[in-house]
Amino acid sequence: MNTDIIKINNIVDDKEKINEAAKKIKNGGIVAFPTETVYGLGADALNEEAVKKIFIAKGRPQDNPLIVHVASKNIDGLVEDTSNIAKNLIDKFWPGPLTLILKKKPIIPNITSANLDTIGIRMPDNEIALKLIEMSGTVIAAPSANISGRPSPTDVERCIEDLSGRVDCILGGHKSDIGLESTILDCTVNPPLVLRPGGVTLEMLREVDNRIDIDPAVMKKSTNDLKPKAPGMKYRHYAPKAKVKIILGERKKTIEKMKEMVDYYIDNNKKVCILTVQENEKEYEKGIKVVLGSRENLFMVAQNLFESLRKCDDLGADIILAEAYEQKGVGIAIMNRLNKAAGFDIIEV
Ligand code: AMP
Ligand code: MG
């Protein structure tokens, strides 16, 4: 398939270019586009044949539902009556990285919701995404724009790497601001439950309803007794080609253990990358250091996480050793993605 690559500088000068992509969506094509969370791969959410193409292009399991992206806070045509809590959440967090799970109306085809009677829905905080949705005259189903299982792309080059030749068009904007997928909140239960942590943190959600909690299965390795409620959360995910190991403990002990492991792997002729922060960077003499940001600003760490995992692959790493983060604020989402990338291979010191 021939993939058109269209770079957008701003929505005023490049309106016609966005319209080109919108036409492809209207005609049942699939288009990768920027959002503030990660880049998405979109199709007309109401067109069964178009949505099918997303699953094929990504190699995505059919039982993993897609999130519907809208350009307006009025979603009455798509979902059954929204509760007061959902309305308050929409008012406070949209446009933004919060997906709400709500009862769907029959207009949403089963392929989009993977046969569930609910649908995940959100309004992205990215002007190219919003313009694309508006101009396509429909709503857009879009999972992350990566081959299934790979770390989500946070810039256009990574979309091209994964999807060139597999999709109709790749729309490029700037790097994603958040860098992690949206927070998913199930609003079909009372109180609502977080099914996937993301940029809208638990603390922020609790300002709207202090009873909100996180699905306990999310931060643990899934077992027969403990399965995450979001279908997609059970899959191995966000995985670079290299093996990822997380070292968890207080700072000094973590660094000591990391150094010992780096020596061991280098002695065994392995290429080791160290995912670290500015504060600790100087402590490591050996291994390839990849700095995610600072512990003072975990949003920066979140923004760089997926790109750094991909960078380790580019560097030819066999092993990636990652320092752990405190499970507070966006640290919960960071640890959720890291845990999954590592297949829960965590070394406690
Ligand atoms: P992605 O768009 O690749 O970030 O994946 C979408 C995520 O949303 C997956 O983990 C899905 O399982 C989850 N999701 C989408 N729709 C629903 C739904 N109706 N109920 C529960 N989880 C959902
Ligand atoms: Mg994804």
Side-chain angles (χ1 to χ4, degrees):
M1 185 190 289
N2 177 44
T3 302
D4 283 348
I5 296 172
I6 307 177
K7 304 247 169 106
I8 306 296
N9 288 317
N10 68 71
I11 59 162
V12 181
D13 299 339
D14 297 328
K15 205 168 159 192
E16 217 14 74
K17 291 189 192 166
I18 302 176
N19 201 27
E20 293 271 304
K23 272 193 224 148
K24 291 186 196 282
I25 298 267
K26 237 187 242 174
N27 294 330
I30 52 176
V31 175
F33 63 97
T35 87
E36 85 283 27
T37 57
V38 299
Y39 273 64
L41 176 59
D44 179 350
L46 311 182
N47 177 342
E48 226 168 288
E49 288 307 311
V51 172
K52 217 178 266 174
K53 292 180 190 169
I54 293 182
F55 285 92
I56 296 167
K58 280 185 55 105
R60 185 176 174 100
Q62 292 263 352
D63 70 346
N64 194 359
L66 306 182
I67 292 170
V68 174
H69 291 67
V70 297
S72 148
K73 291 188 181 189
N74 182 350
I75 51 173
D76 293 345
L78 302 167
V79 297
E80 299 297 347
D81 291 343
T82 38
S83 65
N84 272 336
I85 301 175
K87 284 196 185 102
N88 290 341
L89 291 162
I90 288 173
D91 268 346
K92 195 169 163 87
F93 295 112
W94 281 14
L98 178 66
T99 295
L100 302 180
I101 306 292
L102 295 160
K103 277 255 174 307
K104 73 169 180 131
K105 283 195 167 158
I107 186 173
I108 309 276
N110 283 331
I111 183 157
T112 305
S113 63
N115 290 315
L116 298 175
D117 60 0
T118 57
I119 189 77
I121 189 161
R122 88 173 186 100
M123 181 177 177
D125 187 12
N126 176 294
E127 51 175 15
I128 299 174
L130 291 172
K131 206 69 211 153
L132 178 72
I133 302 166
E134 255 171 50
M135 288 180 137
S136 67
T138 181
V139 290
I140 296 184
S144 48
N146 51 286
I147 297 287
S148 254
R150 299 265 299 138
S152 303
T154 52
D155 69 24
V156 64
E157 298 309 324
R158 296 303 189 182
C159 288
I160 295 172
E161 196 176 289
D162 274 23
L163 296 179
S164 185
R166 291 172 165 263
V167 303
D168 296 289
C169 172
I170 296 174
L171 207 52
H174 61 75
K175 175 175 160 183
S176 297
D177 297 320
I178 308 280
L180 300 178
E181 302 84 352
S182 59
T183 303
I184 300 180
L185 185 68
D186 185 356
C187 292
T188 66
V189 291
N190 191 2
L193 185 67
V194 175
L195 306 187
R196 175 174 74 186
V200 172
T201 64
L202 185 61
E203 293 83 345
M204 288 156 80
L205 292 170
R206 282 183 174 164
E207 280 173 28
V208 175
D209 184 337
N210 63 12
R211 301 168 309 155
I212 294 177
D213 227 319
I214 299 189
D215 176 3
V218 160
M219 301 310 281
K220 302 208 174 85
K221 193 168 185 165
S222 97
T223 62
N224 280 342
D225 302 329
L226 194 72
K227 282 205 180 82
K229 294 195 173 58
M233 294 296 277
K234 67 177 179 289
Y235 291 108
R236 180 153 191 257
H237 244 133
Y238 320 121
K241 293 178 189 116
K243 189 157 183 30
V244 183
K245 288 175 180 284
I246 300 169
I247 291 78
L248 170 73
E250 96 24 53
R251 177 175 183 265
K252 241 178 142 177
K253 284 190 179 156
T254 299
I255 293 170
E256 229 167 75
K257 184 71 186 172
M258 295 267 276
K259 284 163 96 169
E260 181 193 313
M261 291 175 77
V262 170
D263 283 341
Y264 170 81
Y265 286 116
I266 290 179
D267 284 349
N268 284 281
N269 292 318
K270 302 279 188 219
K271 203 164 198 183
V272 190
C273 279
I274 304 169
L275 286 189
T276 185
V277 287
Q278 285 155 13
E279 295 90 323
N280 296 346
E281 187 188 357
K282 291 205 175 64
E283 304 284 339
Y284 305 105
E285 287 127 37
K286 291 187 236 161
I288 306 164
K289 287 174 270 189
V290 177
V291 178
L292 295 172
S294 159
R295 276 172 200 273
E296 298 292 305
N297 180 5
L298 286 189
F299 279 94
M300 198 167 135
V301 172
Q303 192 189 34
N304 292 323
L305 180 63
F306 286 143
E307 177 52 29
S308 300
L309 290 172
R310 284 184 177 242
K311 196 160 139 200
C312 293
D313 274 348
D314 292 348
L315 291 165
D318 299 300
I319 307 279
I320 300 170
L321 300 179
E323 297 167 354
Y325 294 85
E326 198 187 353
Q327 301 215 8
K328 234 173 89 184
V330 78
I332 296 180
I334 293 171
M335 283 311 292
N336 168 258
R337 306 310 193 273
L338 259 183
N339 283 338
K340 295 192 89 181
F344 288 85
D345 190 346
I346 304 164
I347 296 141
E348 280 192 56
V349 289

